Amino acid sequence: MALSSTLLCLLATLSQCALAVRFPAPYLEERQASTVPDYVNTYAPLVWLYSGETYFPSDIGAQLVNTKPEINFNAVVDYPNPLTLDNLNALNAVNGTEVYLTSNVDITTNPAWLNGVKPDSSGKTEGATSIAIIVNDHGSGLVDAFYMYFYAFNWGGVVLDQRVDDHVGDWEHNMIRFQNGVPSQVWFSQHSFGEAFTYDCLEKQGVRPFVYSGNGSHANYAVNGTHDHTIPNLNLPDNGLLTDFTDQGTLWDPTLSAYYYSYNVNTNAYTAYDSSYPTAWLQFIGQWGDQQYPNSDPRQHEIIPGVSATAEFTGGPTGPEDKQLNRTEVCPTASGYVCDVSTSLTS
């Protein structure tokens, strides 16, 4: 009996050694980390961009080529040059939250890079990786998948014949909550907040929910039509002072050109599902566009003098790191707001 146990142990050791020779530990770890849960793509949103859209999804890395880091309109010194998605988080060490990735040229000249890439007939933004899909596995079968859409420019709209809330850089997102691989709820980001719906009530192509992207602002809506957001965080169907328009213009399939990551809340670490994907940029805590221009800048105008929210040009947004990736509910936490998950669509 003792001999048999010894032989079994020896055989087990030899088997492990053989496996290690064929598949070294780093290979096995990479293989395990490279498997995106199939339901993340199976149920991924399809985005209808507005028929008159000018500012399409954009390559995330291209934003760094066309901008430079500034703090209070002064160039940051002593940073990696060139900046890439592999080293962008180095800016966190220089008062990172105050860093703005500022356009190299005057944006009022409408440089071509602001326009992004229009999806082709297959729905792909050819040559532009314009989304990060981030998976947070809470355990016990509960998984949140974030679909982070990037645009180089946000056109905010017109109020009283004055353009408002234009800014370089625009991050919007959906989040789908899964339980044991089955989608249950979906979050739609809109401007400073958004809306949540049950998955079952949404419009779909097959099992993939439709998202309607607002003209220029890229706010995400569950229904087609007109969306008055004059009152912050209140989406009304009428045509008010500040309105988003949506329709079935160009269909974008974000999964066709995406980076995929898992997120570990305990370590605040991102792991790429493919080792070729950059990860450092996800931890950048600064802004992805110009700082709001002061009133002394001839490009700047305010509808109500002294009220920055009515300015023509506002500051660029923060990135995925600031989007509350570890949520208790499908909605992010916001002071004064209750997470209301609608069970039916309203326009």
Side-chain angles (χ1 to χ4, degrees):
M1 192 70 174
L3 181 60
S4 298
S5 298
T6 302
L7 286 173
L8 286 173
C9 290
L10 179 60
L11 289 172
T13 301
L14 290 174
S15 177
Q16 291 172 356
C17 291
L19 184 62
V21 170
R22 291 184 60 202
F23 304 108
Y27 176 90
L28 290 173
E29 291 171 3
E30 180 178 328
R31 183 179 177 186
Q32 292 167 356
S34 66
T35 305
V36 181
D38 57 0
Y39 52 82
V40 170
N41 280 330
T42 298
Y43 297 99
L46 290 167
V47 182
W48 280 113
L49 300 170
Y50 185 62
S51 57
E53 185 60 72
T54 302
Y55 301 104
F56 291 98
S58 305
D59 184 75
I60 300 168
Q63 197 79 351
L64 307 187
V65 176
N66 293 293
T67 62
K68 58 186 179 298
E70 291 186 350
I71 296 177
N72 293 325
F73 306 102
N74 295 310
V76 173
V77 296
D78 192 24
Y79 67 91
N81 194 1
L83 276 175
T84 69
L85 297 180
D86 287 311
N87 61 24
L88 183 61
N89 62 336
L91 292 173
N92 292 350
V94 287
N95 297 323
T97 57
E98 299 179 16
V99 173
Y100 288 81
L101 299 179
T102 306
S103 175
N104 293 328
V105 298
D106 182 357
I107 64 170
T108 62
T109 63
N110 198 30
W113 65 272
L114 294 180
N115 299 116
V117 176
K118 184 176 182 179
D120 60 23
S121 59
S122 72
K124 182 179 182 180
T125 52
E126 186 64 45
T129 303
S130 35
I131 176 176
I133 299 176
I134 303 172
V135 179
N136 181 5
D137 187 342
H138 296 270
S140 300
L142 180 64
V143 173
D144 291 338
F146 292 83
Y147 303 83
M148 299 281 182
Y149 314 124
F150 183 69
Y151 306 82
F153 190 75
N154 177 97
W155 180 84
V158 176
V159 175
L160 302 176
D161 297 322
Q162 170 68 57
R163 289 176 61 169
V164 294
D165 197 29
D166 289 359
H167 54 80
V168 176
D170 191 19
W171 283 101
E172 297 288 351
H173 71 277
N174 288 113
M175 188 266 266
I176 301 182
R177 172 153 287 185
F178 295 92
Q179 184 65 54
N180 298 322
V182 178
S184 59
Q185 300 173 334
V186 183
W187 171 254
F188 292 73
S189 73
Q190 301 160 359
H191 306 286
S192 59
F193 200 57
E195 296 178 285
F197 295 87
T198 59
Y199 166 82
D200 288 342
C201 79
L202 298 174
E203 295 180 18
K204 305 176 186 71
Q205 178 175 291
V207 297
R208 298 182 66 179
F210 280 136
V211 176
Y212 292 92
S213 177
N215 59 308
S217 77
H218 313 119
N220 297 311
Y221 296 97
V223 294
N224 190 0
T226 301
H227 310 271
D228 175 16
H229 60 97
T230 305
I231 302 174
N233 300 321
L234 183 60
N235 175 24
L236 300 173
D238 300 321
N239 191 345
L241 281 176
L242 198 56
T243 304
D244 282 329
F245 299 97
T246 62
D247 62 17
Q248 293 190 352
T250 301
L251 187 62
W252 175 32
D253 183 349
T255 67
L256 298 181
S257 189
Y259 293 128
Y260 291 83
Y261 304 94
S262 63
Y263 174 68
N264 186 322
V265 63
N266 295 318
T267 60
N268 191 36
Y270 302 87
T271 301
Y273 282 108
D274 185 313
S275 59
S276 68
Y277 298 158
T279 57
W281 67 275
L282 289 162
Q283 294 182 318
F284 174 56
I285 58 177
Q287 282 69 219
W288 286 75
D290 293 27
Q291 186 171 351
Q292 180 165 327
Y293 306 144
N295 290 340
S296 58
D297 190 312
R299 296 172 293 183
Q300 186 66 286
H301 307 90
E302 288 181 346
I303 297 175
I304 304 175
V307 179
S308 61
T310 68
E312 178 174 352
F313 294 102
T314 54
T318 52
E321 177 76 0
D322 192 41
K323 299 300 185 277
Q324 297 187 29
L325 300 179
N326 190 46
R327 302 180 186 178
T328 301
E329 299 179 291
V330 69
C331 314
T333 301
S335 178
Y337 294 97
V338 176
C339 187
D340 180 20
V341 182
S342 299
T343 58
S344 64
L345 294 177
T346 56
S347 59

